[in-house]
Amino acid sequence: MTVAAGIGYALIALGPSLSLFVSLISKKPFLILILLSSTLLWLISLIVLSGVWRAFLPLNPNSWWLYGVLLFTAVAFQEGLRLLFWKLYKRLEDVLDAFADRVSKPRLYATDKMQIALAIIALAFVTIHTFSMVIAFNGYAESNKVDQLFVPIVHLVAAMVTLVNFTSGGCVIGIPLVYIVAILTLLHCGKMVWRKLTEDRSRQATI
């Protein structure tokens, strides 16, 4: 039963991501490289942040503002790394495109209630970060300030919302709030993708 429950929790948290990987990413080696490198960068950010904050541990459970500062610094650092990753990605893409032109290859285009709650929260954050990356990359590519600001703001809001979980029964409030943020991220990403598709169709119609 424990194994089955563990598998269930893992599928709740990672099921959509696994579906995206199997259906889209696994078919393209370059996307696998991007996935692995972004995962490594994310882990490095967590290691660096944990090393910095270790000097201030343990935090006083009654001082919520300390956790707020911790989350703010974590979000700021990770969003800075996201921008750095975008710049590195563009450089790599330019190099690969130049190589593709030379060799005439296609270019690159675009256990219990707590465990269940953690799995559900993880699903929300995976969703937020997955589609935030799409929004951020588009914002950086088009120099769209709205998209560039939307991602760190959503990231920070979602992180701060988790502070509600410190209260008794806080998950009842915290989980819906995190999912509201996830839904807003999905809607914004969907709107952005629809706009891009409409622009592409209009451009093709004029050719």
Side-chain angles (χ1 to χ4, degrees):
M1 182 63 183
T2 303
V3 175
I7 294 174
Y9 301 147
L11 289 176
I12 290 174
L14 303 175
S17 299
L18 182 61
S19 299
L20 285 173
F21 178 81
V22 172
S23 61
L24 297 175
I25 298 175
S26 63
K27 300 176 182 179
K28 299 180 180 180
F30 184 71
L31 292 182
I32 295 177
L33 177 62
I34 295 297
L35 173 65
L36 293 176
S37 57
S38 62
T39 302
L40 176 62
L41 194 66
W42 205 259
L43 290 175
I44 290 174
S45 73
L46 294 178
I47 292 172
V48 172
L49 288 168
S50 63
V52 171
W53 275 95
R54 185 175 179 82
F56 301 94
L57 296 179
L59 298 179
N60 186 348
N62 297 321
S63 300
W64 283 33
W65 67 272
L66 286 175
Y67 292 94
V69 173
L70 187 153
L71 290 173
F72 179 82
T73 55
V75 169
F77 183 65
Q78 290 173 345
E79 289 302 327
L81 284 180
R82 194 197 302 270
L83 178 58
L84 174 63
F85 183 70
W86 156 254
K87 292 182 180 297
L88 293 175
Y89 163 79
K90 288 302 295 181
R91 287 189 179 183
L92 178 60
E93 186 182 46
D94 292 339
V95 170
L96 292 177
D97 282 343
F99 177 76
D101 289 338
R102 287 200 299 270
V103 297
S104 300
K105 296 293 183 180
R107 293 170 64 91
L108 297 169
Y109 291 106
T111 76
D112 51 18
K113 294 181 180 178
M114 185 183 74
Q115 289 176 316
I116 296 175
L118 289 174
I120 294 174
I121 291 173
L123 170 60
F125 272 94
V126 167
T127 303
I128 290 170
H129 287 308
T130 299
F131 291 95
S132 288
M133 189 64 80
V134 177
I135 296 170
F137 271 36
N138 181 75
Y140 298 146
E142 298 183 348
S143 298
N144 188 323
K145 297 298 182 182
V146 174
D147 288 344
Q148 291 177 14
L149 292 175
F150 179 86
V151 172
I153 290 174
V154 163
H155 190 177
L156 182 60
V157 170
M160 291 299 183
V161 162
T162 60
L163 293 176
V164 178
N165 297 329
F166 279 103
T167 62
S168 178
C171 288
V172 177
I173 300 174
I175 290 177
L177 290 177
V178 172
Y179 271 88
I180 289 174
V181 176
I183 291 171
L184 289 175
T185 306
L186 279 169
L187 290 175
H188 187 83
C189 186
K191 180 181 177 181
M192 182 197 72
V193 171
W194 179 258
R195 176 176 57 81
K196 294 284 289 184
L197 290 174
T198 303
E199 290 175 355
D200 289 342
R201 289 173 183 171
S202 299
R203 192 178 300 111
Q204 291 176 358
T206 57
I207 296 177

